[in-house]
Amino acid sequence: MSRPVTTTVAELRELLDSGRPPAVLDVRWALGDPHGRDHYAEGHIPGAVYVDLDTELAAPPSPQGGRHPLPDLAALQAAARRWGVRQGRPVVVHDDLGNTAAARAWWLLRYAGIADVTLLDGALGAWRAAGLPLETGIPAAPATGDVVLRAGALPVTDADGAAELAATGLLLDGRAGERYRGEMEPVDPRAGHIPGAVSAPTGENLAADGTFRPAGALRERFEKAGAGAATRIGVYCGSGVTAAHQIAALEIAGFEAVLFPGSWSAWSADPDRPAATGPLPSGPVSVLRGSS
């Protein structure tokens, strides 16, 4: 856990002015907003490359894999080379939403063996707040990178593993509280949460300015959720995107966690998987198969 999770705006400026500039990846994405590339064109960090979360950071959706399955490694490597990622060069990723989307790229690249990848703390908002310039338009593609990716540097689990973590370890649900409680479900087949999972909304990782809360505050937050006593921690969200942000926050706090990539989108699509509702981990439970 000695690797930094974040890079400050001042550190990024210094890196960009150095003889070893990083690849800067702009992962502009939000649930229900398909116009990330347009937002990027309206203004981005000079030299940043747009990354499409739906097509480059995920495989096609399926009931078994959820809305954002992990991409094929060869496809991810080809995409990373298109972004200009090179062996031995750092990577800095960001979005315009507190890094809740960009964390998917951070997690994927670490999972694929890139050690020097960080999140721009405060995301694009921090760059703007510092009064730094933005480029407009869609620039020419960067020089092709040469990175070689190897999967497996970070742990993942499937639905059975998530159920086991909820029963014997700690499984954190990173979605908003109303989705966890089953009061509403805007995109997935059923409302509720994995029985035994603990609510820990991803948005609570951030301070008002969009930066991560201090390590001590994050540690206190996760200890209250049970991380201090748990021998194993897992994380899921709606489709495995913001759960990566939770893993970043846990790492800042000093905890390691396993990602369930399919998350609620895959779990809720399986009629044999139970769904719990209400504010408690083991609230009222229902199973879809056999119901009227």
Side-chain angles (χ1 to χ4, degrees):
M1 289 202 182
S2 59
R3 300 173 298 181
V5 174
T6 62
T7 292
T8 67
V9 166
E11 289 168 339
L12 177 56
R13 289 186 66 192
E14 185 175 342
L15 283 169
L16 289 171
D17 291 337
S18 73
R20 189 171 168 264
V24 180
L25 309 182
D26 185 321
V27 190
R28 214 78 65 93
W29 181 89
L31 186 64
D33 181 358
H35 305 296
R37 187 179 293 275
D38 295 334
H39 301 318
Y40 166 85
E42 290 164 4
H44 55 267
I45 293 173
V49 177
Y50 176 70
V51 174
D52 187 282
L53 187 145
D54 287 322
T55 62
E56 295 181 298
L57 300 179
S62 70
Q64 297 75 28
R67 287 185 282 113
H68 290 107
L70 297 187
D72 174 78
L73 185 67
L76 180 62
Q77 179 173 287
R81 291 181 175 185
R82 285 197 304 273
W83 307 330
V85 178
R86 303 193 64 80
Q87 293 286 108
R89 289 287 181 94
V91 181
V92 179
V93 299
H94 72 87
D95 55 29
D96 201 11
L97 199 64
N99 288 318
T100 52
R104 171 68 170 222
W106 169 85
W107 185 92
L108 265 178
L109 292 175
R110 285 208 172 177
Y111 165 80
I114 299 181
D116 194 355
V117 53
T118 54
L119 293 159
L120 178 61
D121 203 16
L124 188 61
W127 185 270
R128 289 196 196 97
L132 296 170
L134 296 174
E135 280 184 342
T136 58
I138 303 292
T144 303
D146 61 358
V147 70
V148 177
L149 302 183
R150 297 176 180 85
L154 292 180
V156 297
T157 192
D158 57 12
D160 288 339
E164 198 267 337
L165 276 164
T168 64
L170 174 65
L171 182 64
L172 297 176
D173 184 320
R175 298 172 300 157
E178 59 268 24
R179 290 182 71 190
Y180 171 87
R181 295 187 296 269
E183 296 165 3
M184 55 91 74
E185 180 47 64
V187 286
D188 290 322
R190 287 184 285 159
H193 60 266
I194 296 174
V198 174
S199 180
T202 298
E204 296 178 11
N205 296 330
L206 297 171
D209 63 358
T211 60
F212 279 98
R213 293 168 63 189
L218 288 172
R219 187 168 187 88
E220 181 179 359
R221 158 173 157 75
F222 292 122
E223 284 179 343
K224 285 182 178 178
T231 56
R232 295 174 303 130
I233 302 171
V235 181
Y236 77 98
C237 58
S239 66
V241 173
T242 60
H245 193 276
Q246 196 87 295
I247 289 176
L250 282 158
E251 187 167 323
I252 291 170
F255 297 108
E256 293 181 337
V258 176
L259 177 68
F260 172 26
S263 285
W264 185 248
S265 60
W267 181 282
S268 63
D270 184 342
D272 290 325
R273 297 285 178 186
T277 55
L280 300 178
S282 296
V285 174
S286 64
V287 178
L288 184 62
R289 192 181 296 278
S291 63
S292 59

